[in-house]
Amino acid sequence: MDNLFSVENKSVVITGGAGVLCSQMALALAQAGAKVCILDLKIKAARSLCNRINSDGFTAIAKKTNLLKKEQIQDALKMIINKFGSIDVLINGAGGNKKEATVSKDKTFFDIDARALQQIIDLNLLGTLLPCQVFGKQMAKQQSGIIVNISSMNAFRPLTNIAAYSAAKAAVSNFTQWLAVYMAMNFSESIRVNAIAPGFFLTEQNRYLLTNEKSGKLTDRGKRIIEHTPMARFGRPDELIGTLLWLISDASKFVTGTVVPVDGGFNAFSGV
Ligand code: NAD
């Protein structure tokens, strides 16, 4: 029972690990004894996080990787196997939305540029599929491994204005179930695939939608979200860690193909 939630010595890859939510995950997992590898385009931020982790006596490495380029992910796999010997956990954290792909006062859905739609679908969906191909193949070889994808509230019911992001995250939830079945039926019951669906956390990619840029006060959309969150607040990044530890440890040994909301009750609330 003592080791139920242990991640000690596990080799963990975190895509988008330099970002707001996943940097907290990298920090917490390293502090819990995991060996962490951060893959991100923002290599300066990734390296400075690694320095912080390593100077505290824990283990982290980083590699600049574009998750939409399979060869770059394959290079990252080689580096991790070389340094850590195996891949025990993959967290697919890279994802997000952009202003250019968002309906606004000045732009209807019909006017959104195809390239903006494509970018959001690629980042969220392809950016999850490709690492699952590369690291999943290694897990199949090892006959063990755990994958955690990051979905969203949009996957259950789409939010207004962000059609491509909603569709892409719904696809991530669907793919999580697909891959869970594929891995368990074709390779090993020790390969599990689940997702976390965070509720609303105030970060750089949604700040412009939830708060007024000048005053910092909540926008109407921000207010509506708080009104529809029974806990009546945004989440804090560290509040994802408990669910993550559960999903990547033996504590969830018989759990695969699930999407777990961490949302202050948002998904359960009908609004009435
Ligand atoms: P963030 O923008 O802070 O982090 C995303 C990271 O991904 C960045 O460091 C970025 O450099 C990296 N990245 C983007 N494209 C990349 C690419 N092609 N290759 C490599 N790295 C790339 O985002 P966040 O708010 O921390 O969100 C993390 C995840 O959680 C995302 O999947 C997001 O969609 C999801 N999510 C966030 C919220 C929220 O409230 N913030 C809610 C639900 C889901």
Side-chain angles (χ1 to χ4, degrees), residues 16 18-22 39-42 65-68 92-96 123-124 150-153 165 169 198-203 205-206:
V20 178
L21 299 183
C22 292
L39 305 183
D40 204 299
L41 282 177
K42 288 187 190 153
T65 308
N66 183 347
L67 298 156
L68 302 179
N92 280 308
L123 171 60
N124 291 282
I150 306 295
S151 185
S152 162
M153 285 300 109
Y165 182 68
K169 287 298 193 186
F200 297 87
F201 295 71
L202 201 54
T203 59
Q205 59 178 264
N206 60 20

XYZ file of all heavy atoms in Angstrom, residues 16 18-22 39-42 65-68 92-96 123-124 150-153 165 169 198-203 205-206, ligand 1:
297
model
N 5.104 19.893 -24.092
C 4.582 21.189 -23.637
C 4.948 21.449 -22.180
O 4.298 22.238 -21.493
N 7.132 23.148 -20.825
C 7.548 24.490 -20.418
C 6.337 25.397 -20.196
O 6.473 26.530 -19.764
C 8.454 25.099 -21.492
N 5.139 24.898 -20.497
C 3.923 25.709 -20.384
C 3.432 25.838 -18.945
O 4.018 25.269 -18.018
N 2.344 26.575 -18.791
C 1.864 26.914 -17.453
C 1.453 25.660 -16.662
O 1.931 25.430 -15.554
C 0.654 27.877 -17.545
C 0.111 28.191 -16.157
C 1.049 29.144 -18.257
N 0.587 24.838 -17.236
C 0.086 23.681 -16.474
C 1.141 22.579 -16.377
O 1.357 22.002 -15.307
C -1.190 23.124 -17.119
C -2.389 24.080 -17.200
C -3.612 23.371 -17.786
C -2.744 24.655 -15.834
N 1.817 22.308 -17.508
C 2.720 21.151 -17.519
C 4.048 21.411 -16.826
O 4.723 20.477 -16.410
C 2.892 20.643 -18.939
S 1.344 19.942 -19.528
N 9.772 18.144 -23.414
C 9.868 18.406 -24.858
C 9.001 19.616 -25.170
O 7.799 19.608 -24.889
C 9.366 17.197 -25.668
C 10.037 15.866 -25.368
C 9.489 14.788 -26.299
C 11.554 15.955 -25.496
N 9.617 20.654 -25.723
C 8.869 21.888 -25.968
C 9.596 22.709 -27.022
O 10.809 22.561 -27.201
C 8.740 22.689 -24.652
C 7.549 23.633 -24.660
O 7.507 24.537 -25.516
O 6.650 23.483 -23.825
N 8.858 23.578 -27.694
C 9.489 24.517 -28.618
C 10.220 25.613 -27.844
O 11.223 26.131 -28.303
C 8.418 25.171 -29.503
C 7.863 24.364 -30.661
C 6.765 25.152 -31.367
C 8.969 24.007 -31.649
N 9.690 25.941 -26.662
C 10.297 27.017 -25.856
C 11.446 26.426 -25.056
O 11.288 26.086 -23.868
C 9.257 27.591 -24.893
C 8.200 28.422 -25.568
C 7.332 29.065 -24.495
C 6.118 29.720 -25.085
N 5.002 29.787 -24.143
N 11.811 20.320 -29.251
C 11.146 19.371 -30.142
C 9.868 20.000 -30.684
O 9.048 20.499 -29.912
C 10.751 18.089 -29.350
O 11.905 17.603 -28.670
C 10.219 17.004 -30.266
N 9.707 19.937 -32.000
C 8.421 20.315 -32.585
C 7.581 19.047 -32.667
O 7.911 18.118 -33.413
C 8.619 20.936 -33.968
C 7.290 21.393 -34.560
O 6.214 21.032 -34.062
N 7.353 22.181 -35.609
N 6.514 19.011 -31.909
C 5.721 17.773 -31.792
C 4.914 17.464 -33.036
O 4.255 16.444 -33.106
C 4.809 17.874 -30.566
C 5.645 18.015 -29.301
C 4.870 18.677 -28.205
C 6.197 16.670 -28.874
N 4.994 18.338 -34.019
C 4.320 18.058 -35.290
C 5.293 17.444 -36.299
O 4.924 17.204 -37.445
C 3.698 19.349 -35.839
C 2.693 19.993 -34.876
C 2.126 21.275 -35.449
C 1.552 19.028 -34.566
N 0.954 14.045 -22.679
C 0.802 14.888 -23.878
C 0.154 16.219 -23.499
O -1.061 16.374 -23.569
C -0.056 14.158 -24.916
C 0.748 13.134 -25.673
O 1.810 13.442 -26.207
N 0.259 11.907 -25.707
N 0.999 17.158 -23.089
C 0.467 18.424 -22.578
C 0.420 19.547 -23.589
O -0.299 20.530 -23.404
N 1.198 19.445 -24.678
C 1.222 20.547 -25.643
C -0.152 20.673 -26.289
O -0.746 19.681 -26.701
C 2.294 20.309 -26.701
N -0.643 21.869 -26.354
C -1.968 22.088 -26.936
C -2.380 23.505 -26.672
O -1.655 24.252 -26.014
N -3.530 23.889 -27.209
C -4.015 25.227 -26.919
C -4.814 25.815 -28.060
O -5.036 25.176 -29.087
N -2.065 21.120 -33.746
C -1.386 21.174 -32.450
C -2.051 20.228 -31.446
O -1.380 19.454 -30.774
C -1.373 22.621 -31.906
C -0.891 22.775 -30.467
C 0.533 22.265 -30.303
C -0.966 24.232 -30.018
N -3.372 20.294 -31.345
C -4.044 19.520 -30.301
C -4.197 18.045 -30.656
O -4.013 17.187 -29.783
C -5.411 20.131 -29.984
C -5.270 21.467 -29.285
O -4.990 21.524 -28.095
N -5.414 22.566 -30.019
N -4.089 15.337 -22.519
C -4.784 16.452 -21.866
C -5.934 16.888 -22.770
O -5.723 17.405 -23.864
C -3.843 17.637 -21.563
C -2.610 17.179 -20.754
C -4.612 18.727 -20.795
C -2.866 16.649 -19.356
N -7.144 16.642 -22.299
C -8.338 17.033 -23.033
C -8.848 18.367 -22.471
O -8.028 19.208 -22.047
C -9.380 15.911 -22.916
O -10.492 16.214 -23.706
N -10.149 18.557 -22.430
C -10.685 19.859 -22.001
C -12.189 19.725 -21.757
O -12.822 18.779 -22.250
C -10.427 20.882 -23.109
O -11.254 21.998 -22.958
N -12.760 20.697 -21.077
C -14.218 20.750 -20.906
C -14.924 20.804 -22.261
O -16.034 20.325 -22.438
C -14.626 21.999 -20.118
C -14.350 21.929 -18.640
S -15.226 20.573 -17.866
C -13.896 19.457 -17.506
N -10.791 24.296 -31.584
C -10.227 23.782 -30.324
C -11.172 22.754 -29.712
O -10.751 21.686 -29.267
C -9.984 24.954 -29.373
C -9.358 24.575 -28.045
C -8.051 24.102 -27.985
C -10.072 24.712 -26.851
C -7.474 23.771 -26.763
C -9.492 24.388 -25.628
C -8.193 23.913 -25.587
O -7.628 23.582 -24.378
N -10.205 18.844 -29.184
C -10.144 18.213 -27.852
C -11.144 17.065 -27.751
O -10.876 16.064 -27.086
C -10.385 19.255 -26.754
C -9.217 20.206 -26.549
C -7.939 19.495 -26.107
C -6.872 20.468 -25.608
N -5.591 19.813 -25.316
N -8.964 19.243 -17.854
C -8.965 20.350 -16.889
C -10.171 21.256 -17.132
O -10.610 21.435 -18.270
C -7.671 21.107 -17.203
C -6.850 20.198 -18.057
C -7.832 19.330 -18.792
N -10.672 21.811 -16.061
C -11.693 22.853 -16.184
C -10.993 24.152 -16.571
O -10.170 24.159 -17.489
N -11.254 25.213 -15.855
C -10.727 26.523 -16.260
C -9.610 26.972 -15.331
O -9.807 27.138 -14.129
C -11.864 27.536 -16.323
C -12.852 27.130 -17.383
C -13.889 26.261 -17.080
C -12.684 27.541 -18.693
C -14.762 25.830 -18.067
C -13.553 27.108 -19.689
C -14.595 26.253 -19.373
N -8.446 27.126 -15.927
C -7.254 27.575 -15.234
C -6.814 28.821 -15.988
O -6.697 28.786 -17.217
C -6.163 26.484 -15.289
C -6.540 25.230 -14.543
C -7.521 24.378 -15.040
C -5.942 24.908 -13.344
C -7.904 23.228 -14.358
C -6.298 23.765 -12.644
C -7.285 22.927 -13.151
N -6.594 29.903 -15.285
C -6.235 31.156 -15.966
C -4.789 31.063 -16.451
O -3.862 31.013 -15.651
C -6.406 32.314 -14.983
C -6.574 33.692 -15.581
C -7.703 33.744 -16.590
C -6.803 34.702 -14.477
N -4.598 30.964 -17.777
C -3.235 30.860 -18.324
C -3.125 31.798 -19.524
O -4.104 32.439 -19.908
C -2.927 29.416 -18.771
O -3.883 29.047 -19.762
C -2.993 28.434 -17.623
N -2.993 31.327 -22.678
C -3.787 31.095 -23.887
C -5.268 31.445 -23.716
O -5.984 31.551 -24.705
C -3.620 29.667 -24.384
C -4.028 28.623 -23.391
C -3.885 27.224 -23.959
O -4.845 26.683 -24.436
N -2.688 26.665 -23.915
N -5.756 31.617 -22.492
C -7.174 31.974 -22.350
C -7.390 33.295 -21.602
O -8.516 33.750 -21.451
C -7.960 30.832 -21.677
C -7.439 30.513 -20.287
O -6.770 31.327 -19.662
N -7.750 29.325 -19.804
P 0.623 26.713 -22.412
O 0.421 27.468 -23.682
O 1.111 27.435 -21.222
O 1.596 25.477 -22.703
C 1.619 24.799 -23.907
C 3.082 24.493 -24.238
O 3.110 23.750 -25.458
C 3.945 25.748 -24.462
O 5.094 25.719 -23.639
C 4.298 25.689 -25.943
O 5.603 26.190 -26.239
C 4.227 24.196 -26.227
N 4.003 23.930 -27.646
C 3.064 24.491 -28.457
N 3.195 24.007 -29.706
C 4.217 23.119 -29.688
C 4.819 22.281 -30.659
N 4.394 22.258 -31.939
N 5.859 21.516 -30.291
C 6.309 21.540 -29.023
N 5.773 22.295 -28.051
C 4.746 23.069 -28.377
O -0.763 25.960 -22.134
P -1.476 25.500 -20.799
O -2.560 26.442 -20.466
O -0.475 25.152 -19.768
O -2.195 24.174 -21.337
C -1.596 22.897 -21.321
C -2.589 21.896 -21.883
O -3.807 21.922 -21.124
C -3.010 22.194 -23.328
O -3.225 20.978 -24.016
C -4.324 22.921 -23.162
O -5.113 22.832 -24.311
C -4.895 22.162 -21.987
N -5.943 22.850 -21.231
C -5.704 24.046 -20.637
C -6.732 24.625 -19.888
C -6.528 25.949 -19.185
O -7.470 26.393 -18.515
N -5.362 26.566 -19.292
C -7.968 24.011 -19.776
C -8.165 22.794 -20.407
C -7.142 22.220 -21.117
